[in-house]
Amino acid sequence: MVPLLLLFTLLAIVGFVISRWIYEYVGLRQKLSTIPGPTLLPFVGIVLERMRIPKEDVWQWFNDLCFKFESGMVLAWVGTQPIVILRRPQQMEVILPSNTLITKAATYDYMKPWLGDGLVTSTGELWFSHRRLITPAFHFGVLEEYGAVMREKVEIFKECIESELKTDPKAPINIFGLVVKYTLDTICETAMGVNIDTQRNPESAYVKAVHTYARLTVERFYKPWLKWNAIYYRTNKGKEALNAVKIMHSFTEKVIRQKQAERKEKSFSNKELSDEVDEFGKRKRKAFLDLLLSASENASNPLTFEELREEVDTFMFAGHDTTSSAISWGLFALANAPEIQAKVHKELQEIFGDSGETANSKQLSELKYLDRVIKEVLRLYPSAPMVSRRLTHDTVIDNHHVPKGTFVNIHIYQMHHDPKVWKDPETFDPDRFLPENIRSRHPYSYVPFSAGPRNCIGQKFALLEVKTALTAILRKWQISSVLKPTEIKMIHTFILRPQNESLELYFTPIVK
């Protein structure tokens, strides 16, 4: 009798939970019914349709979905999770400048095994306090030290291109893979002060782990049944992801411990950390980790060892893929626009003449036309084509009431390509960013680094690295592309990548 009663009690509880869940789901659908969106199966949403699309066509499919509705605001469902898609500046203006709507959507939670509560994934007071602590690490004076690393690594980058050309000078080069190695080399030394020499040693276990985890995380998002860690980490893919995290954490922790030991030794010997020199007697540059340790030691609430690791890992994650995307798409865009490329070459000749020396910061700052080129590249190919938030309170967007808990996807790429926002949006035109053309635009019509309190803290770092790389390559070569912009297929794995990570370009030496 008792087991039977227990069974009925359990069934009643399960029935109550399911009925309440259905009731809340139906209520949520009613609240969001005013927002246009595709007709989808209840409880399933876009999941089945998304799974039927070949990987190389997913980006185009999603792009078409965004432009299917004239309002610029689209409601889609991933299972029972509502997602509101925005692509108009006035809609983004509700979210981006807000100091309260700063919580990232659950997609970013998939990065927490690696990044923990670093700047990308954290929210609330923790995010505010860490942001304040980290901001000085991107001060103009510090960027000059980072820039010195970029200039050293870009010389190796050029050597790698020359090595490829020696095999067959007339054959195209897949520039994307070389750019990724350059940015990883740069970020490892600027973030941790460690030279992993990725460009010459691409078999690094750390590098492989970074790419593995990013790929697996994006694959996971469109499989709702894997959102629970208890299930996912029992699968082969989940175990592979955890192994990648173990490799990355082990590497970062080793570097932090080494840095802490060095600082402790210096303090015991009463030496100034700023006096530290390398084996050649030159003052050692300060990496992001050095600055973070100094700031933390002087803070009223110092960072724990785990928090230090999380912020360094976050800088690694956010600082290499985004810049590799921008550099690659910049080369691709210029390779398909010979007239614009010719103007860049002319400006470079005016600044550098026939000098073969690496560009310094002052020279880079004088390249005003290249500045506009880079801005236009980031309009056409924003490195992070979308950012996502979870609403922490009910919000009104374009007269639609969007309830707390809804995910809001801010589609930067689609907004940058919206003909209602930009005239002839597919045309590559750097003059869009002449001062007289900027004045009349909506302040949220161009947000390649997001905007508001959660804008990209490292955007000046990224722009400096992009400019350094483009300058170094275009001073030495003219470039042309195998594919045209209309022929290239793109994929979205946190950043905007070319399909199969392939961008093939021809390189022709500039005769001086």
Side-chain angles (χ1 to χ4, degrees):
M1 182 70 181
V2 174
L4 190 61
L5 181 61
L6 182 61
L7 177 62
F8 278 127
T9 302
L10 287 173
L11 288 173
I13 292 172
V14 170
F16 174 77
V17 170
I18 291 174
S19 61
R20 183 176 178 82
W21 173 65
I22 293 173
Y23 174 79
E24 290 176 351
Y25 170 68
V26 171
L28 193 56
R29 289 186 69 97
Q30 289 176 340
K31 288 178 182 178
L32 291 165
S33 61
T34 62
I35 303 174
T39 303
L40 302 167
L41 288 172
F43 305 105
V44 176
I46 64 173
V47 171
L48 289 179
E49 186 177 356
R50 159 65 180 80
M51 291 178 67
R52 286 196 292 264
I53 306 294
K55 180 182 176 182
E56 65 271 17
D57 295 327
V58 168
W59 176 256
Q60 187 58 52
W61 166 76
F62 210 83
N63 191 63
D64 292 343
L65 174 63
C66 291
F67 280 99
K68 191 174 182 180
F69 301 90
E70 183 60 30
S71 67
M73 189 171 174
V74 181
L75 174 66
W77 293 79
V78 175
T80 58
Q81 175 62 53
I83 299 176
V84 172
I85 297 166
L86 308 179
R87 76 163 198 274
R88 293 279 162 78
Q90 73 274 13
Q91 297 162 355
M92 297 181 185
E93 193 173 11
V94 176
I95 307 295
L96 292 177
S98 172
N99 283 312
T100 56
L101 298 173
I102 62 170
T103 301
K104 296 290 186 76
T107 323
Y108 296 86
D109 289 345
Y110 294 158
M111 300 300 292
K112 284 197 170 187
W114 177 21
L115 306 181
D117 288 318
L119 274 188
V120 166
T121 51
S122 61
T123 191
E125 184 53 39
L126 177 67
W127 176 82
F128 276 109
S129 64
H130 283 206
R131 175 92 179 197
R132 283 194 298 269
L133 188 69
I134 291 170
T135 295
F138 295 96
H139 184 270
F140 177 79
V142 179
L143 284 175
E144 179 58 34
E145 297 216 1
Y146 296 155
V149 175
M150 295 171 190
R151 292 191 288 273
E152 287 179 7
K153 301 303 181 185
V154 86
E155 291 302 309
I156 302 172
F157 183 23
K158 290 194 298 182
E159 289 173 13
C160 292
I161 294 174
E162 288 170 342
S163 178
E164 294 265 347
L165 290 172
K166 284 178 184 177
T167 305
D168 185 351
K170 295 184 179 180
I173 296 174
N174 176 17
I175 197 65
F176 190 84
L178 296 180
V179 171
V180 168
K181 292 170 192 172
Y182 160 65
T183 58
L184 262 171
D185 246 6
T186 301
I187 202 68
C188 273
E189 191 148 340
T190 53
M192 293 184 275
V194 175
N195 179 17
I196 62 171
D197 203 14
T198 310
Q199 297 184 87
R200 297 188 181 112
N201 177 32
E203 298 305 311
S204 162
Y206 179 83
V207 172
K208 288 183 177 179
V210 169
H211 290 157
T212 296
Y213 194 78
R215 171 178 55 80
L216 293 173
T217 300
V218 172
E219 289 176 5
R220 182 183 178 188
F221 179 67
Y222 286 102
K223 297 176 180 177
W225 58 92
L226 294 178
K227 80 176 191 176
W228 292 282
N229 290 341
I231 295 174
Y232 180 63
Y233 292 122
R234 283 178 168 79
T235 67
N236 289 335
K237 298 267 187 178
K239 291 173 183 176
E240 187 182 359
L242 283 179
N243 185 57
V245 169
K246 184 179 179 181
I247 292 169
M248 293 185 292
H249 281 180
S250 176
F251 181 83
T252 309
E253 288 168 2
K254 180 181 177 181
V255 175
I256 294 173
R257 287 194 178 95
Q258 183 179 334
K259 289 280 186 183
Q260 287 179 325
E262 289 173 0
R263 294 175 72 83
K264 193 173 183 180
E265 184 181 343
K266 288 285 181 184
S267 66
F268 278 137
S269 60
N270 294 318
K271 288 183 179 180
E272 291 290 333
L273 290 167
S274 58
D275 292 337
E276 194 176 357
V277 296
D278 61 20
E279 64 270 29
F280 301 108
K282 293 182 179 179
R283 186 179 69 85
K284 283 188 177 180
R285 301 189 193 102
K286 297 298 180 188
F288 173 76
L289 175 56
D290 295 306
L291 299 167
L292 199 58
L293 285 166
S294 293
S296 177
E297 288 163 3
N298 295 319
S300 57
N301 187 21
L303 298 178
T304 65
F305 182 88
E306 186 177 8
E307 288 173 331
L308 284 166
R309 190 203 67 216
E310 289 169 350
E311 295 302 353
V312 172
D313 283 340
T314 295
F315 188 24
M316 288 291 303
F317 162 69
H320 91 273
D321 257 0
T322 50
T323 48
S324 66
S325 172
I327 293 166
S328 299
W329 290 118
L331 292 169
F332 176 74
L334 286 165
N336 277 284
E339 292 181 4
I340 293 172
Q341 187 181 160
K343 290 180 182 179
V344 173
H345 282 135
K346 183 174 182 291
E347 182 178 58
L348 293 172
Q349 181 64 28
E350 289 170 355
I351 300 297
F352 299 102
D354 294 332
S355 169
E357 293 184 4
T358 306
N360 59 43
S361 297
K362 182 178 182 300
Q363 290 167 325
L364 289 175
S365 69
E366 294 171 1
L367 298 170
K368 302 303 181 185
Y369 185 70
L370 185 58
D371 277 338
R372 300 204 299 275
V373 166
I374 293 170
K375 287 177 181 177
E376 176 68 346
V377 167
L378 291 171
R379 183 191 68 81
L380 284 167
Y381 306 101
S383 297
M386 178 191 76
V387 294
S388 189
R389 304 279 172 86
R390 179 175 62 82
L391 296 186
T392 49
H393 55 76
D394 294 353
T395 306
V396 177
I397 306 174
D398 261 7
N399 297 319
H400 296 284
H401 290 264
V402 185
K404 174 182 176 180
T406 303
F407 292 175
V408 174
N409 285 0
I410 296 169
H411 279 253
I412 296 169
Y413 178 95
Q414 280 73 25
M415 195 255 294
H416 285 180
H417 288 255
D418 191 334
K420 291 287 180 68
V421 181
W422 295 86
K423 184 180 178 182
D424 300 323
E426 304 307 320
T427 301
F428 181 35
D429 180 12
D431 286 347
R432 296 179 196 273
F433 293 94
L434 286 168
E436 59 269 27
N437 294 331
I438 293 173
R439 290 190 203 104
S440 59
R441 282 201 292 267
H442 193 289
Y444 290 89
S445 63
Y446 179 72
V447 288
F449 295 101
S450 189
R454 286 213 81 144
N455 70 340
C456 174
I457 194 173
Q459 59 185 281
K460 290 181 180 177
F461 175 97
L463 289 170
L464 179 60
E465 189 171 3
V466 173
K467 202 170 189 180
T468 299
L470 294 184
T471 299
I473 291 172
L474 294 169
R475 285 174 66 191
K476 192 172 181 65
W477 291 284
Q478 288 181 324
I479 54 176
S480 57
S481 176
V482 172
L483 295 178
K484 297 176 181 177
T486 53
E487 296 171 327
I488 198 81
K489 286 192 174 185
M490 294 177 281
I491 58 173
H492 175 209
T493 59
F494 284 103
I495 67 160
L496 193 66
R497 300 176 185 266
Q499 181 195 350
N500 300 325
E501 300 195 344
S502 178
L503 277 179
E504 292 192 314
L505 304 181
Y506 294 103
F507 286 75
T508 304
I510 295 174
V511 179
K512 294 184 179 179

